[in-house]
Amino acid sequence: MATATQAPTSPAAASGRGSVLPLLRGRPSTRVRLAVGRRPQTALRAQPPGAAEVVEQSVNTIRFLAVDSVEKAKSGHPGLPMGCAPLGHVLFDEFLRFNPKNPYWFDRDRFILSAGHGCMLQYALLHLAGYDSVTMDDLKAFRQWGSITPGHPENFETPGVEVTTGPLGQGFANAVGLALAEKHLAARFNKPDLKIVDHHTYVILGDGCQMEGVSNEASSLAGHWGLGKLIAFYDDNHISIDGSTGISFTEDALARYEALGWHTIWVKNGNTGYDDIRAAIKEAKAVKDKPTLIKVTTTIGYGSPNKANTYSVHGSALGTKEVEATKNNLSWHHEPFHVPDEVKRHWSHHIDEGASLEAEWNKKIVEYEKKYRQEAAELKSIISGELPSGWDNSLPKYTPENPADATRNLSQQCLNALAKAIPGFLGGSADLATSNMTLLKMFGDFQKDTPEERNIRFGVREHAMGAISNGIALHSPGLIPYCATFFVFTDYMRAAIRLSALCGSRVIFVMTHDSIGLGEDGPTHQPVEQLFSLRAMPNILMLRPADGNETSGAYKIAVLNRQRPSVLALSRQKLQQLKGTSVEGVAKGGYIISDNSSGNKPDIILIGTGSELEIVEKAADELRKDGKTVRVVSLVCWELFEEQSEKYKESVFPSEVTSRISVEAGVTFGWEKYIGEKGKAIGVDRFGSSAPAGKIYKELGLTVENVIATAKSL
C-alpha cells in the first residue's frame, strides 16, 4: 500500500495497405488505421537529472492551463484539474502508452475521465503530450461555440478523448466495457509467441461517480470478471457541489471495493506525493487477476489560498483576484496560457516514443499475419470495422408459410446468424437471456477464466449493462455489442441509451416484451410510453418489427448504422409471417405492405407497427370486402422514414388522402404527424392491466373490429 504523510496546505514551491490489417488513423468511423508498440520493459519511463523540478513545473502548467481556460470562458470546473494535476502528470507522462499523432492506435492504453466536469485536466494533458487535436487556441476556446474543447469530454469532438463523459458514473462504467473488450480480444487473438492485444484502461472518478448507482453495478461486474487491466483512480477530495461529502457520503469506499473483488490502494498525499502515485500505479499494474482502485486523496483547487478545499472552487472560475493569489502562492509568475520551454521540451518525447511504439507493433502484426492468417483476418474486421463479405446473407428469410412466432424468438435466430458471420458480434442480457432469447448457442459465457466467449452475463444491472456496452462499442469499430432486457426497463438504462445516441456508439438494444401483449405480469411490466419517448431521442433508431422479415431487416439496419444505436422492440406473443413485409422495406422505415388502390389514391390508409400490423392487415382485408380501397403501411422505424425523400414519403402517405388510422399498443402521442388532423389514432393512453394478452387487447380496443368501426366513422 502506498502511503505518505498528510500534504501541507500550500506547496513547497504511415499508413500502408500492404498488410492484411489496415492502419488506423483518424476517426474510426471514417479513416481506418492500425498501430501498436512493444510494451516498455520497465513500468516507469526514465527520469532524467533535474526531473523533480520539471515535474513541478509541469504540474503547475497543467493547473494554470485549466485555471486560465476556465477564467477566459468564465465557466467551468477548475477545482479537479488543480487537485489532480500531479496524478495526471505522472499517469500521462510516465505510464500511459499512446501515440499523440495517431489517437486511434489500436493497442493504446485507454484513459477515461469519468469526472468529466474536470475536462480541462484532460485537455491540458492532451495539449502537452502533442495531440494535434488540442492546440493552444483550442484551450483558449474552452466551452465556446464550435470549439473542440467542450464543457465535458466528447469522443466525437476531440481526438484523444475515448468516450463521452459528464453524467457521473457513466464514464467509469464505459471503462469497464473498454477493459472487457481488451480482455476478450486478448484471449481470442494473443498467441504464446505474439501478444498483440495488451493495453490497460485507466479511469479517474470522483465522489459523485462513487455515489451514482451505475458505478456500483459496473464495479461489481468488473470484480466478478477479474478485469486485471482496469485501474481506477478515485479522486478523494471530500467536496461535492453542496459542500463537504460528509453531509451525504461517509462510506468506506475501499472496503466496498474489496468486497466487490477489487485490489485497493490508498495514496494519502495526492497533492505532492509523486513517488506514492508512481508506486501505486506500478503496484496496480502488477495485479493481473482483479481490477484495482487507487484512492488518491487530493485537495480540490489545490494552491488557491481562499478557495481550496471548498465547494466554491468546484464549478466556477476563481476570479481575477484569486487567480493572482493562487499564482503567488504557487510561485507561478507568468502570463495566462504560458507553457515554459523546459516543460515543452520534456513532453516532446511522447511524439517520438509514440511513433516508435506504433512502428514496433506494426512489425509484430506483419509477423502475426504470416503465422495466423485466419485470426488476423478476424482481427482486421474488428479493428477496421469492415464487415465480412456477404454477412447480411446470413440473416434468415421468411414466407407466409412459415409458422407464426414471437419476434423475440425470430430475433434469436438473427443473433445467432450474425454471431457466426461477424467476428466482433457479442452481447448478453440483464439476467433474462432465456426470456429475451439472446443466447448465442455456439459460444459459452464470458467469465473471468473464459474471456474468449461471447455471451455476456450482466445480471440484474440494466444501467451498467447499457454503459458497459457503450464502452465495448467504442473500443473498436468492429465490435458490435447487443444488450437485452424487457422493453419497460429501458427506464433503468435511459442515461446509458442517451449517451449511446450522443456519442454515436453502435449498440443494439434488444428489448423484448414490448407491449401490453406480455399479459399477466401487469402494468409494471407493460411499456406504453417507452416507444414514443425513445422516438423523441436524437440520433437513435427505434425499430418495432412485425414479423420475421422485418426482424431480419431491423438487425441489418442496426449493424449498418455505425454512428448511432438501435433499439429493437420485440413481442412476447406469436405473430404471423405477413405477405408484404420485407428486409428492404425496413430500410426505408415505412413502406406499403398491401394496397388495392390505384393512382396513389386509396380511400383510407391503415398504419401499424409490430404486433399491431397483423391486426391492421386483417382489418384491411375486411374493409376491402366492402368495396373500400385500403393501403396498409408498416411504419417500423419513424427515424428512417423521415430520412427518405419527400417524393418517397408522398408515395406512401399522399397528402390528398386524409382518412388515416394508426394502430399501436402504446401512447397515441406523436401519431398526429402521420394521421393528420382528420385521422384517428388507436392506442393505449393509460397503463395496462394484469390479464391474458387477448383480453387486454380487446378491452383497450386493439382489435380488428375496432379498426373497422373507426375506419367507417371517418
Side-chain angles (χ1 to χ4, degrees):
M1 178 177 292
T3 60
T5 57
Q6 185 62 39
T9 55
S10 62
S15 179
R17 304 289 287 184
S19 168
V20 171
L21 296 179
L23 298 179
L24 181 64
R25 185 178 295 280
R27 293 193 177 190
S29 60
T30 55
R31 295 164 294 172
V32 178
R33 186 163 185 238
L34 256 184
V36 177
R38 182 179 303 155
R39 188 173 300 277
Q41 295 301 308
T42 178
L44 299 176
R45 295 183 174 101
Q47 297 298 302
E53 291 78 8
V54 174
V55 168
E56 194 67 33
Q57 283 268 60
S58 174
V59 168
N60 280 331
T61 300
I62 295 165
R63 287 183 177 128
F64 283 101
L65 286 176
V67 167
D68 294 337
S69 297
V70 172
E71 201 67 27
K72 187 174 188 299
K74 301 188 185 310
S75 174
H77 299 74
L80 183 148
M82 294 170 75
C84 284
L87 167 60
H89 169 88
V90 172
L91 177 62
F92 263 71
D93 189 47
E94 300 177 20
F95 287 91
L96 204 68
R97 297 171 64 253
F98 60 92
N99 182 359
K101 300 306 179 185
N102 183 3
Y104 304 107
W105 163 37
F106 169 68
D107 205 34
R108 67 193 180 277
D109 288 338
R110 269 66 170 179
F111 170 76
I112 297 89
L113 184 63
S114 186
H117 54 274
C119 57
M120 268 310 308
L121 171 71
Q122 188 167 10
Y123 298 151
L125 290 166
L126 292 174
H127 174 71
L128 292 178
Y131 282 78
D132 296 329
S133 54
V134 184
T135 66
M136 185 61 75
D137 286 340
D138 295 318
L139 297 180
K140 293 178 180 178
F142 178 53
R143 287 185 165 226
Q144 303 309 299
W145 179 265
S147 78
I148 60 171
T149 48
H152 288 82
E154 307 282 10
N155 66 297
F156 56 88
E157 294 280 9
T158 316
V161 171
E162 300 287 353
V163 302
T164 289
T165 61
L168 295 176
Q170 287 286 326
F172 175 80
N174 292 166
V176 173
L178 290 165
L180 181 154
E182 193 277 343
K183 183 166 184 173
H184 173 70
L185 296 177
R188 282 178 63 181
F189 296 107
N190 284 348
K191 302 296 182 181
D193 60 329
L194 282 172
K195 187 178 287 189
I196 57 169
V197 182
D198 188 16
H199 53 266
H200 283 76
T201 301
Y202 298 95
V203 57
I204 294 177
L205 66 157
D207 289 302
C209 296
Q210 292 282 30
M211 294 184 216
E212 288 287 0
V214 65
S215 66
N216 195 66
E217 290 183 23
S219 298
S220 178
L221 281 167
H224 170 73
W225 288 327
L227 301 180
K229 289 186 178 175
L230 173 62
I231 299 175
F233 302 94
Y234 166 28
D235 176 28
D236 171 44
N237 63 35
H238 303 290
I239 295 293
S240 61
I241 292 176
D242 280 350
S244 168
T245 55
I247 62 176
S248 61
F249 187 65
T250 55
E251 68 182 43
D252 185 341
L254 292 185
R256 173 162 61 92
Y257 274 78
E258 287 175 8
L260 292 172
W262 287 58
H263 179 67
T264 63
I265 306 170
W266 185 7
V267 175
K268 294 183 177 180
N269 176 11
N271 296 326
T272 59
Y274 302 114
D275 288 339
D276 298 319
I277 295 170
R278 294 182 183 107
I281 299 174
K282 189 172 183 179
E283 178 182 333
K285 292 184 69 173
V287 176
K288 306 296 185 183
D289 62 341
K290 58 179 65 176
T292 297
L293 179 77
I294 304 174
K295 175 180 170 180
V296 185
T297 298
T298 67
T299 299
I300 191 170
Y302 182 79
S304 171
N306 302 302
K307 294 188 176 183
N309 201 35
T310 69
Y311 69 91
S312 62
V313 77
H314 169 81
S316 59
L318 292 178
T320 303
K321 290 183 179 180
E322 191 63 16
V323 170
E324 288 305 311
T326 304
K327 286 185 174 182
N328 290 332
N329 195 33
L330 294 176
S331 299
W332 187 258
H333 306 298
H334 302 289
E335 293 298 311
F337 298 101
H338 178 74
V339 179
D341 289 340
E342 57 268 33
V343 173
K344 292 179 182 178
R345 285 193 296 269
H346 176 78
W347 279 82
S348 66
H349 73 91
H350 289 288
I351 295 175
D352 290 340
E353 182 180 287
S356 177
L357 291 171
E358 177 178 354
E360 290 182 26
W361 188 82
N362 283 334
K363 293 178 182 178
K364 289 171 66 177
I365 202 64
V366 169
E367 183 180 357
Y368 187 86
E369 292 164 350
K370 293 176 180 177
K371 291 185 176 181
Y372 309 105
R373 182 160 294 276
Q374 178 59 39
E375 291 91 333
E378 290 189 7
L379 186 59
K380 171 191 175 181
S381 175
I382 291 170
I383 294 174
S384 69
E386 181 180 346
L387 294 167
S389 176
W391 68 272
D392 52 330
N393 293 330
S394 67
L395 289 164
K397 299 177 178 63
Y398 303 87
T399 69
E401 287 69 40
N402 290 117
D405 207 348
T407 50
R408 63 170 174 165
N409 294 333
L410 301 168
S411 165
Q412 185 168 50
Q413 296 174 23
C414 293
L415 289 171
N416 279 270
L418 291 172
K420 291 178 182 177
I422 301 175
F425 200 84
L426 75 168
S429 169
D431 196 49
L432 290 167
T434 55
S435 191
N436 298 143
M437 308 305 291
T438 51
L439 280 178
L440 302 180
K441 297 178 181 179
M442 71 292 295
F443 297 110
D445 293 341
F446 176 96
Q447 295 289 351
K448 181 177 182 178
D449 297 323
T450 55
E452 70 280 2
E453 301 292 353
R454 292 205 240 170
N455 284 299
I456 304 175
R457 304 290 192 165
F458 289 104
V460 188
R461 302 182 183 91
E462 279 91 353
H463 197 176
M465 175 177 71
I468 289 169
S469 296
N470 285 340
I472 296 171
L474 292 171
H475 183 279
S476 295
L479 285 178
I480 307 176
Y482 67 88
C483 61
T485 186
F486 291 172
F487 190 34
V488 75
F489 298 141
T490 53
D491 290 345
Y492 277 126
M493 56 197 306
R494 184 165 299 272
I497 294 175
R498 185 176 189 273
L499 280 175
S500 186
L502 177 62
C503 69
S505 65
R506 179 174 44 181
V507 177
I508 303 175
F509 296 95
V510 181
M511 302 290 117
T512 70
H513 298 62
D514 70 335
S515 72
I516 57 173
L518 67 89
E520 291 84 350
D521 276 345
T524 61
H525 282 53
Q526 293 170 4
V528 292
E529 77 276 20
Q530 281 74 15
L531 274 168
F532 184 78
S533 67
L534 286 167
R535 286 170 179 156
M537 188 178 290
N539 199 45
I540 192 169
L541 298 178
M542 179 66 251
L543 300 118
R544 190 167 183 245
D547 64 1
N549 285 329
E550 286 202 344
T551 302
S552 289
Y555 273 106
K556 181 176 180 179
I557 285 295
V559 170
L560 287 174
N561 275 262
R562 297 180 179 224
Q563 293 300 301
R564 56 184 168 181
S566 300
V567 180
L568 277 63
L570 305 167
S571 75
R572 179 195 186 197
Q573 71 271 38
K574 291 183 177 181
L575 306 176
Q576 292 183 357
Q577 310 294 344
L578 300 174
K579 184 177 181 180
T581 58
S582 69
V583 169
E584 295 74 24
V586 173
K588 294 183 178 296
Y591 65 107
I592 300 166
I593 71 162
S594 68
D595 190 356
N596 67 326
S597 70
S598 60
N600 203 28
K601 292 183 179 179
D603 293 329
I604 190 168
I605 300 174
L606 304 182
I607 315 165
T609 75
S611 49
E612 290 70 68
L613 190 62
E614 178 181 322
I615 294 172
V616 165
E617 182 69 359
K618 289 178 179 178
D621 287 342
E622 294 302 315
L623 289 168
R624 288 165 185 153
K625 291 177 183 178
D626 291 339
K628 295 288 185 181
T629 57
V630 184
R631 173 175 294 176
V632 175
V633 173
S634 172
L635 202 59
V636 60
C637 180
W638 293 17
E639 297 82 10
L640 289 173
F641 184 73
E642 289 303 317
E643 293 172 3
Q644 305 309 308
S645 68
E646 291 302 318
K647 181 179 180 181
Y648 177 77
K649 286 188 279 189
E650 176 68 17
S651 75
V652 176
F653 293 122
S655 52
E656 291 184 16
V657 180
T658 59
S659 296
R660 305 178 185 183
I661 298 173
S662 65
V663 186
E664 185 173 68
V667 295
T668 59
F669 186 71
W671 273 105
E672 60 272 10
K673 181 174 186 176
Y674 296 108
I675 61 174
E677 293 182 0
K678 297 182 179 180
K680 298 287 186 179
I682 298 174
V684 184
D685 289 317
R686 49 155 284 181
F687 291 118
S689 183
S690 178
K695 178 65 173 177
I696 302 174
Y697 267 73
K698 182 177 180 180
E699 291 295 330
L700 297 185
L702 291 158
T703 62
V704 172
E705 294 75 17
N706 190 37
V707 175
I708 293 171
T710 304
K712 290 180 177 180
S713 72
L714 292 176

